[in-house]
Amino acid sequence: LVHRFGRSGATGRQMSANAVVRGRRWNGDEFAAEASISHGRVGTEEFYTVILRDVTERQRAEEAIRTLNASLEATVVERTAALQATAEALAQERDRLADLTHEVSLIVDSAPVGILLIKDRRVLRANAKAEELLGYEPGQAVGRSARDWYVCQEDYDKVGREMYADL
């Protein structure tokens, strides 16, 4: 291999540009190496220089990176599947709650008694019977203050103190 390189006329090249060669230490142990060679003449004498680089540690590090990447990819696949399962479960629960909300709305809307949903003494929702009893047109009760239903401020304040004392 070295003599073939010398006859090629090239003065230098990396022997293992894309490959690793196996080297042998004096004690017989083998190691992975990259090698480069150069050729020169001084008069009629030929000289060759071979440079070896032990790449054993680099190969170990590359293998560790490949192992970690494979582990990371497996974790990503696993967690993505778990997230998809959770998203599907949440979508099913959202649909179930939407169905229940619709069913409750049907019951409330068709009730023969007035039903109001109130928060902070303001109407969030009122069924048709409640609006009729209180003299509102459909949809007019929403957003109104409960104060409108009391004859005087004193009664409104008293009920507020008694009703909201425990809250």
Side-chain angles (χ1 to χ4, degrees):
L1 182 65
V2 173
H3 291 291
R4 191 171 352 139
F5 168 72
R7 290 190 302 272
S8 73
T11 57
R13 73 174 173 132
Q14 187 170 347
M15 289 174 54
S16 56
N18 294 319
V20 173
V21 296
R22 302 296 301 167
R24 186 169 310 186
R25 293 188 171 86
W26 186 255
N27 66 3
D29 289 347
E30 289 188 9
F31 65 98
E34 288 180 339
S36 60
I37 188 170
S38 63
H39 173 252
R41 289 181 189 266
V42 176
T44 59
E45 289 192 56
E46 290 183 287
F47 293 93
Y48 295 91
T49 304
V50 177
I51 300 172
L52 293 176
R53 178 185 327 195
D54 186 338
V55 294
T56 306
E57 288 303 314
R58 185 184 77 199
Q59 284 182 329
R60 285 186 191 133
E62 288 170 348
E63 182 56 33
I65 289 170
R66 281 191 292 277
T67 300
L68 287 172
N69 281 341
S71 174
L72 179 60
E73 287 174 8
T75 300
V76 167
V77 166
E78 177 183 307
R79 291 196 178 159
T80 299
L83 283 172
Q84 287 174 334
T86 300
E88 289 172 13
L90 286 172
Q92 289 175 353
E93 184 64 9
R94 179 198 61 225
D95 293 346
R96 187 183 75 77
L97 290 173
D99 289 346
L100 288 173
T101 299
H102 180 68
E103 290 171 8
V104 169
S105 291
L106 290 174
I107 293 168
V108 169
D109 290 342
S110 64
V113 295
I115 301 173
L116 297 131
L117 176 61
I118 299 173
K119 181 178 181 187
D120 298 327
R121 302 184 88 180
R122 289 216 168 268
V123 178
L124 298 177
R125 190 173 191 303
N127 71 351
K129 190 63 173 180
E131 290 178 323
E132 177 187 321
L133 289 170
L134 296 170
Y136 295 119
E137 294 294 321
Q140 258 188 336
V142 174
R144 303 287 281 209
S145 170
R147 169 64 182 94
D148 295 348
W149 309 325
Y150 292 87
V151 175
C152 65
Q153 183 69 36
E154 183 181 310
D155 289 344
Y156 175 75
D157 292 341
K158 179 182 175 193
V159 170
R161 279 191 303 274
E162 291 172 3
M163 299 278 296
Y164 291 96
D166 294 332
L167 301 178

